[in-house]
Amino acid sequence: MDLRKYSTGIKTLAIGILLSITTLTPGRAQETDSSLSNLEFTEISPDSSPVIHKDTASSEFKATDTAGNEVKNATNAKATTSETGGSEKEKTLWETFIAGLLGGFLAFLMPCIFPMVPLTVSYFTKRAGSRQKGIGQALIYGLSIIVIYVAFGLLITIFFGSAKLNELSSSGWFNFVFFLLLLTFAISFFGAFEITLPNSLVNKIDQKADDSKGLGGIFFMAASLALVSFSCTGPIIGTLLVQASSKGEYLAPAIGMFGFAFALALPFTLSAIFPGFLNSMPKSGGWLNTVKVCLGFLELALALKFLSAADLVWHWEWFDREIFLVLWIVIFALMGLYILGKLKFSHDSDVSYVSVPRLFFAIFSLSFAVYLIPGLWGAPVNILSGIAPPMNTQDFILNSNGSSSGNAVAADFPAKVKHSEILKAPVGFSPFFDLEEGVAYAKKVNKPILIDFTGHACVNCRKMEDKVWIDKEVGRIIKEKYVLIQLYVDERNIKMPKDKVHYSEILRTNTDDLGRWNGDFQASKYGSNSQPFYVLAGHDLNPLVTPGGAIFDAKQYAAYLQSGVDAFDQKKSD
């Protein structure tokens, strides 16, 4: 990457790259646990109004009719989710790898690493005595960097495990702590202080690198780079691990670290193999610090995403959509001014003139800030779908969106549904939040059921609501053809009655709140613990078609919904 050719414009290229991570990285939830796929369930008879509960002595869901008699049916209600689960898992890992790759390239541009490339390559050449041996040592050096960072990612994986990561990602404390962490990273990038490791540890590794010979010395040189550069790379690594952990995928932290280390090691290796690459690299200068500060702005913007998730989980109801958008508008406007040299920190170099690339990327940052302004009056702002708080936190909507077509509620729909005082419906929709209540109403109106397993901190859940459900055809099918039941798996404030509390073998905890009960029901009944997870079901709660996760193409999602309606109609006619 030839930075000098584009003068100081490279820092704004970094802005665009990390912005794409910030706005497009989905917080994909944990993948289906294959160990659940062999469970069998007791089907709820369609001939009675069920009261759904779980026998505390077994893992089977049972139902009783209005007289309290147990309804039995041996029909297997397992959902075939392995195919969709596998593809989502593969996509999640590729996204994590690419995010790590971009993070590694950005880390390479930090002031703690970039100036070290010529020195390191020169050291290998002199130490080896020949160019060929120098290339071999540089390759080993690059592989050592990869091994160190991947090992770090594997430690995160082994220590937490996928189930714990998924639970943490939906925790209010997890999101609030990471808000504080990313806020600290941003302040560090702004130059208030540096995050460094203990000097004793750094000195010890440096001494090992000097004393060790052969492969050991090269490995400790790579470890020394990782430690010395931590003040610059630490915030990037931390952000990457936060994003990877929030996906809940078992290998995500290790895959993210592999992408990061590969991108970080690549320039060192290429510089040793191709001397021309080293000669074409720009000289160190003030632009390195500018890249660092711009990343600080992006860290600050990303931190607000986690604060929003904590607000939703804990029901603070103060960090609403308008506040989030106002802060993002100010952040990106200030970043645009900083790129133009109108805003300056104490450690910044003077900007004697505005280069053309710098101007264009400043226009990009300022234009993005202007693009967000209509969101203050209820515009969808699709690029932030899943990142910004949901539309139902908006205090003022100037004009209703497409999902509100046919917004009239059926005359027999309850004036107030259970838990509606705490859980808020997506704009334009009228869901139930309690499974029993929703099933009873579906039987009354003779419609199929759309069970939406969702969560307050689920990025793709909000993205589906903000980008797909607002489609007129999708909204029409959901509201006219289905009874919508939204089951939150991370709702901790609503406690379950004693007769519904049981020990979940899958969650390994008591289902004492609504979120755990819903999570146990999803995993036990449908063999999945990912969100969003959509089940198009009949009144017996058995799937009419294969359940699945997010589908961001509105036409495909509408066709999926219609297939459930057709299956329900066919079942009625049989």
Side-chain angles (χ1 to χ4, degrees):
M1 186 180 294
D2 188 349
L3 310 178
R4 197 65 171 179
K5 289 182 179 179
Y6 300 100
S7 184
T8 53
I10 186 62
K11 59 184 174 296
T12 49
L13 175 60
I15 294 169
I17 294 174
L18 193 54
L19 178 60
S20 67
I21 301 174
T22 306
T23 56
L24 299 179
T25 299
R28 194 170 299 275
Q30 176 184 337
E31 188 47 54
T32 302
D33 187 345
S34 59
S35 64
L36 307 176
S37 60
N38 294 323
L39 294 177
E40 294 188 359
F41 312 93
T42 301
E43 182 183 89
I44 299 173
S45 171
D47 300 326
S48 61
S49 298
V51 178
I52 305 163
H53 66 281
K54 189 170 182 179
D55 190 342
T56 56
S58 70
S59 60
E60 287 189 328
F61 278 87
K62 300 180 179 180
T64 56
D65 59 21
T66 54
N69 300 316
E70 184 178 329
V71 179
K72 296 184 178 180
N73 192 312
T75 302
N76 191 329
K78 290 186 295 182
T80 57
T81 60
S82 58
E83 293 183 3
T84 57
S87 62
E88 287 183 4
K89 175 180 178 180
E90 184 178 351
K91 185 177 180 181
T92 298
L93 293 179
W94 271 110
E95 290 170 345
T96 304
F97 173 76
I98 293 173
L101 202 67
L102 295 175
F105 284 127
L106 290 173
F108 174 71
L109 300 178
M110 293 291 97
C112 303
I113 295 180
F114 187 83
M116 298 177 66
V117 178
L119 297 176
T120 303
V121 174
S122 176
Y123 172 81
F124 283 138
T125 303
K126 292 179 180 179
R127 173 178 173 173
S130 67
R131 183 170 177 270
Q132 185 175 3
K133 290 183 178 179
I135 292 174
Q137 292 189 359
L139 288 171
I140 296 172
Y141 181 76
L143 290 174
S144 299
I145 292 175
I146 294 174
V147 168
I148 290 169
Y149 283 106
V150 171
F152 182 63
L154 285 174
L155 286 176
I156 300 294
T157 297
I158 295 171
F159 183 75
F160 289 102
S162 60
K164 189 64 176 178
L165 290 175
N166 190 54
E167 181 182 345
L168 286 173
S169 67
S170 61
S171 164
W173 281 110
F174 173 94
N175 285 280
F176 186 72
V177 167
F178 278 114
F179 157 71
L180 295 177
L181 186 63
L182 295 184
L183 180 63
T184 303
F185 290 161
I187 296 173
S188 173
F189 274 159
F190 289 147
F193 53 83
E194 285 192 352
I195 303 174
T196 58
L197 296 173
N199 288 331
S200 58
L201 177 61
V202 176
N203 293 335
K204 186 177 294 186
I205 297 297
D206 280 340
Q207 186 65 37
K208 285 280 188 181
D210 292 336
D211 296 341
S212 300
K213 303 297 182 182
L215 297 180
I218 297 175
F219 177 83
F220 282 111
M221 279 190 63
S224 179
L225 172 71
L227 296 179
V228 171
S229 64
F230 187 80
S231 61
C232 292
T233 61
I236 298 176
I237 293 172
T239 304
L240 178 62
L241 288 175
V242 168
Q243 289 292 86
S245 299
S246 66
K247 298 176 187 300
E249 182 55 55
Y250 188 73
L251 291 176
I255 294 296
M257 286 294 95
F258 174 69
F260 177 88
F262 181 80
L264 189 61
L266 189 62
F268 288 94
T269 306
L270 290 178
S271 297
I273 298 175
F274 305 105
F277 179 81
L278 181 61
N279 295 333
S280 65
M281 290 178 61
K283 296 180 180 179
S284 301
W287 62 270
L288 289 172
N289 186 72
T290 306
V291 173
K292 186 177 178 180
V293 172
C294 288
L295 290 178
F297 281 110
L298 295 176
E299 292 273 5
L300 185 60
L302 184 60
L304 299 179
K305 167 184 174 289
F306 292 93
L307 179 61
S308 170
D311 175 85
L312 293 170
V313 172
W314 285 338
H315 302 290
W316 289 340
E317 297 186 356
W318 66 266
F319 194 66
D320 57 18
R321 189 178 178 89
E322 290 98 330
I323 295 177
F324 181 94
L325 291 176
V326 164
L327 291 173
W328 269 55
I329 290 169
V330 171
I331 288 171
F332 283 95
L334 289 176
M335 187 165 67
L337 294 176
Y338 177 79
I339 295 170
L340 292 174
K342 303 300 182 183
L343 180 65
K344 185 179 177 182
F345 291 89
S346 59
H347 52 283
D348 283 326
S349 302
D350 291 329
V351 179
S352 56
Y353 67 94
V354 177
S355 64
V356 173
R358 179 189 284 260
L359 175 64
F360 274 100
F361 283 105
I363 291 174
F364 173 82
S365 182
L366 293 171
S367 297
F368 183 72
V370 174
Y371 164 79
L372 299 178
I373 293 176
L376 299 175
W377 290 274
V381 193
N382 287 337
I383 197 170
L384 292 186
S385 296
I387 297 177
M391 191 70 73
N392 57 25
T393 66
Q394 187 95 4
D395 295 325
F396 176 70
I397 300 179
L398 183 63
N399 187 23
S400 57
N401 56 40
S403 69
S404 61
S405 59
N407 214 13
V409 180
D412 56 355
F413 193 86
K416 182 180 180 181
V417 300
K418 198 172 181 180
H419 308 316
S420 61
E421 68 280 359
I422 295 179
L423 302 175
K424 306 302 179 184
V427 174
F429 294 90
S430 302
F432 290 91
F433 303 111
D434 179 78
L435 187 61
E436 291 181 20
E437 186 180 26
V439 170
Y441 180 77
K443 296 175 73 66
K444 178 181 178 180
V445 298
N446 196 26
K447 289 183 178 180
I449 300 169
L450 169 55
I451 303 177
D452 172 21
F453 289 98
T454 184
H456 297 295
C458 174
V459 172
N460 281 348
C461 302
R462 303 290 83 77
K463 192 173 181 180
M464 283 292 294
E465 293 170 4
D466 293 345
K467 293 190 68 174
V468 180
W469 284 21
I470 66 171
D471 179 79
K472 290 184 178 180
E473 181 61 14
V474 170
R476 183 192 68 80
I477 296 175
I478 293 177
K479 287 179 285 189
E480 295 181 6
K481 304 295 185 180
Y482 283 96
V483 172
L484 175 61
I485 304 177
Q486 288 194 302
L487 300 181
Y488 281 81
V489 301
D490 57 359
E491 176 52 52
R492 301 288 176 251
N493 291 348
I494 300 175
K495 301 303 179 182
M496 297 299 290
K498 291 183 179 180
D499 62 332
K500 287 192 175 183
V501 176
H502 62 273
Y503 182 78
S504 169
E505 295 290 345
I506 298 169
L507 303 181
R508 300 192 179 187
T509 186
N510 288 327
T511 59
D512 53 354
D513 59 48
L514 182 64
R516 291 190 177 97
W517 196 96
N518 289 336
D520 181 65
F521 173 67
Q522 179 190 358
S524 299
K525 179 72 173 177
Y526 302 112
S528 172
N529 57 0
S530 64
Q531 292 84 42
F533 189 73
Y534 303 108
V535 181
L536 311 182
H539 302 153
D540 54 8
L541 297 183
N542 289 338
L544 298 166
V545 296
T546 302
I551 302 174
F552 295 119
D553 185 285
K555 291 184 178 179
Q556 291 183 12
Y557 190 69
Y560 171 70
L561 294 174
Q562 186 60 47
S563 68
V565 175
D566 295 340
F568 182 79
D569 293 339
Q570 180 64 37
K571 188 176 180 181
K572 286 196 302 183
S573 62
D574 290 343

